């Protein structure tokens, strides 16, 4: 897909709890086509300690309102600067980057979308795409506590939502791989994004249950174009740049200890 470097205008900034922020961006022209699983590289202005662009998953694309949504966890100098953006500010963005999740081959194919923490971000756009193709995804979302669960109302627009929290404050207590839906139901495809230990646990479950599984890796991606080699991942096909060959990879290609 063609890549663009655009000065996008901040339309709204919504703070979700203490450390999360949802930034809605727009442009005077229609936004480029983007696919679920792809990401953008944003320039962080005004931060003396942030020299490289920051990779941010595409959370959602609202074609009707010409909006690109970015869900950001403010955990470092760069992301805290992004969280401080105001409506009317400009965010220079390179997009769309990387590949995408696989789409259903038929409306009867059952998709389970598993996310943890801010890693739920790309699953909202994926769920919308699956719904538009006649499917109804099941979301399995995990977090430490209820306050860390993000965009639940948005996810409910596109499918059934199952929840786990480590402290039991909402949904079932435990990790996503402990949720009872995994024992009760069967699925044809699992797509997951979140902390690596969580994704590895989901991959082990998928392998044992003989379910196809795709993961969205969160390796450090400084350039997004395969030039800096910061995001190299070892696979069965050799070393690959996650920013160009991923971020979405089938777990069968990964050298994880499954």
């Amino acid at each position: 897909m063609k890549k663009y470097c655009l000065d996008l205008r901040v339309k709204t900034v919504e703070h979700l709890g203490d450390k999360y922020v949802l930034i809605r961006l727009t442009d005077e022209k229609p936004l480029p086509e983007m696919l679920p699983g792809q990401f953008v590289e944003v320039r962080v202005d005004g931060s003396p300690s942030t020299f490289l662009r920051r990779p941010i998953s595409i959370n959602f694309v609202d074609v009707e309102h010409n909006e690109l949504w970015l869900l950001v966890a403010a955990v470092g100098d760069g992301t805290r600067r992004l969280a401080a953006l105001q409506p009317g500010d400009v965010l220079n963005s390179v997009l769309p980057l990387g590949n995408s999740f696989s789409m259903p081959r038929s409306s009867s194919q059952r998709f389970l979308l598993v996310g943890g923490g801010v890693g739920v971000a790309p699953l909202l756009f994926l769920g919308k795409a699956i719904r538009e193709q006649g499917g109804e995804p099941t979301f399995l979302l995990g977090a430490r506590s209820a306050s860390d669960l993000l965009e639940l109302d948005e996810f409910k627009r596109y499918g059934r939502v199952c929840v786990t929290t480590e402290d039991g404050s909402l949904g079932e207590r435990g990790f996503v791989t402990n949720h009872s839906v995994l024992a009760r139901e069967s699925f044809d495809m699992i797509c997951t994004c979140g902390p690596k230990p969580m994704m590895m646990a989901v991959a082990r479950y998928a392998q044992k249950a003989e379910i196809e599984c795709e993961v969205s890796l969160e390796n450090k991606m400084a350039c997004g174009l395969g030039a800096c080699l910061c995001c190299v991942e070892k696979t069965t096909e050799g070393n690959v740049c996650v920013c160009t060959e991923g971020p979405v990879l089938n777990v069968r290609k990964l050298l994880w200890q499954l």
Side-chain angles (χ1 to χ4, degrees), residues 104-119:
R105 294 185 294 272
S106 69
S107 59
S108 62
Q109 192 176 13
R110 300 197 68 200
F111 269 64
L112 178 66
L113 312 187
V114 185
V118 77

Side-chain angles (χ1 to χ4, degrees), residues 6-13 23-27 43 45 81-93:
L6 302 174
D7 284 328
L8 300 179
R9 179 172 57 83
V10 176
K11 190 172 181 179
T12 64
V13 178
I23 304 170
R24 294 181 176 89
L25 303 168
T26 190
D27 196 20
R43 189 180 69 208
D45 296 327
R81 178 67 61 171
L82 294 177
L85 289 169
Q86 298 294 320
D89 288 345
V90 170
L91 186 62
N92 184 267
S93 308

Side-chain angles (χ1 to χ4, degrees), residues 21-36:
V21 62
L22 175 61
I23 304 170
R24 294 181 176 89
L25 303 168
T26 190
D27 196 20
E28 294 179 355
K29 298 179 180 179
L31 292 169
E33 178 187 5
M34 291 170 265
L35 301 174

Side-chain angles (χ1 to χ4, degrees), residues 124-199:
L124 180 61
F125 190 26
L126 175 60
K128 174 179 181 287
I130 293 172
R131 190 65 176 265
E132 288 177 344
Q133 293 195 15
E136 186 170 348
T138 296
F139 299 101
L140 176 52
L141 311 178
R144 292 180 180 178
S145 65
S147 61
D148 295 311
L149 288 163
L150 305 170
E151 301 185 303
L152 289 183
D153 289 340
E154 293 293 337
F155 280 107
K156 290 175 183 177
R157 294 177 59 191
Y158 302 106
R160 180 176 47 146
V161 176
C162 303
V163 166
T164 65
T165 49
E166 294 178 30
D167 63 3
S169 54
L170 189 66
E172 297 186 12
R173 180 188 293 271
F175 302 117
V176 288
T177 48
N178 303 133
H179 199 283
S180 59
V181 72
L182 299 179
R184 296 194 313 265
E185 301 181 26
S186 61
F187 298 92
D188 303 303
M189 178 63 136
I190 296 175
C191 300
T192 183
C193 183
K196 187 174 180 179
M198 184 210 77
M199 291 195 293

